[in-house]
Amino acid sequence: MKDKYIVITNNNILKNEENTIYIDGDFIDVLKAVRDYMHKGYLTISHPLPASIRMMLSPVRSVIMQDSYTDQELYNKTLEMVENSIISYKNTMGLRNPDYKNIEDYEIIDKNLLYSSFDELHKEKKLFSQLLKEVEI
């Protein structure tokens, strides 16, 4: 079965993209939607939190998910990671507010990071395919 990917996002730039689930809400709402989709059988492919604390102030987030998985242990660890991400986001933000003043910039950054993630995902799949071919010889 070929993997099908979806993107959970609240990024207006990506709102009408194919295979995109648009969340009308904030960063935390995207994290909760990711958790909910995991309970529906999806697996998180990209990390739900950004790499820097500054990006936590972004009100925008996009997460790549896959519609099937075969490794229950991986699923359990990933679900735990998503749950911990929700807690970490709440703790990190504390009394801080998202930076809505620069939302258009954050939307562009989020889109670029998402596209970069897809590029890396395709490179990894291509490399894995090549390795499988070499093993079969």
Side-chain angles (χ1 to χ4, degrees), residues 45-46 64 111-122:
I45 299 300
S46 62
I64 303 170
K111 180 192 81 163
N112 290 339
L113 289 171
L114 177 69
Y115 288 176
S116 177
S117 294
F118 270 117
D119 285 345
E120 287 302 313
L121 182 62
H122 291 302

Side-chain angles (χ1 to χ4, degrees), residues 13-46:
I13 294 174
L14 304 169
K15 190 175 195 175
N16 297 314
E17 292 289 319
E18 186 177 341
N19 299 324
T20 298
I21 310 295
Y22 180 76
I23 304 300
D24 188 16
D26 289 327
F27 193 126
I28 191 70
D29 299 314
V30 171
L31 295 178
K32 290 176 181 177
V34 166
R35 178 195 55 205
D36 294 346
Y37 270 82
M38 287 201 68
H39 290 302
K40 293 177 183 178
Y42 286 79
L43 184 66
T44 303
I45 299 300
S46 62

Side-chain angles (χ1 to χ4, degrees), residues 22-137:
Y22 180 76
I23 304 300
D24 188 16
D26 289 327
F27 193 126
I28 191 70
D29 299 314
V30 171
L31 295 178
K32 290 176 181 177
V34 166
R35 178 195 55 205
D36 294 346
Y37 270 82
M38 287 201 68
H39 290 302
K40 293 177 183 178
Y42 286 79
L43 184 66
T44 303
I45 299 300
S46 62
H47 200 286
L49 292 179
S52 74
I53 291 187
R54 177 68 183 128
M55 286 302 293
M56 292 278 266
L57 296 176
S58 167
V60 180
R61 189 67 181 156
S62 299
V63 179
I64 303 170
M65 300 189 78
Q66 180 181 335
D67 75 340
S68 62
Y69 60 91
T70 55
D71 186 338
Q72 187 65 41
E73 185 177 342
L74 175 62
Y75 172 82
N76 292 339
K77 287 180 181 179
T78 306
L79 181 59
E80 182 179 354
M81 176 189 65
V82 171
E83 292 286 356
N84 289 336
S85 294
I86 292 170
I87 293 166
S88 291
Y89 179 79
K90 288 178 179 178
N91 289 340
T92 300
M93 290 303 288
L95 298 175
R96 297 179 187 118
N97 292 318
D99 180 10
Y100 288 104
K101 183 178 81 175
N102 297 302
I103 193 166
E104 290 175 357
D105 293 332
Y106 284 121
E107 288 174 337
I108 292 168
I109 292 168
D110 179 71
K111 180 192 81 163
N112 290 339
L113 289 171
L114 177 69
Y115 288 176
S116 177
S117 294
F118 270 117
D119 285 345
E120 287 302 313
L121 182 62
H122 291 302
K123 286 178 190 174
E124 287 177 22
K125 286 182 128 310
K126 188 183 249 184
L127 178 63
F128 185 69
S129 259
Q130 183 62 35
L131 288 172
L132 283 178
K133 287 178 185 174
E134 290 175 10
V135 170
E136 290 175 4
I137 294 174

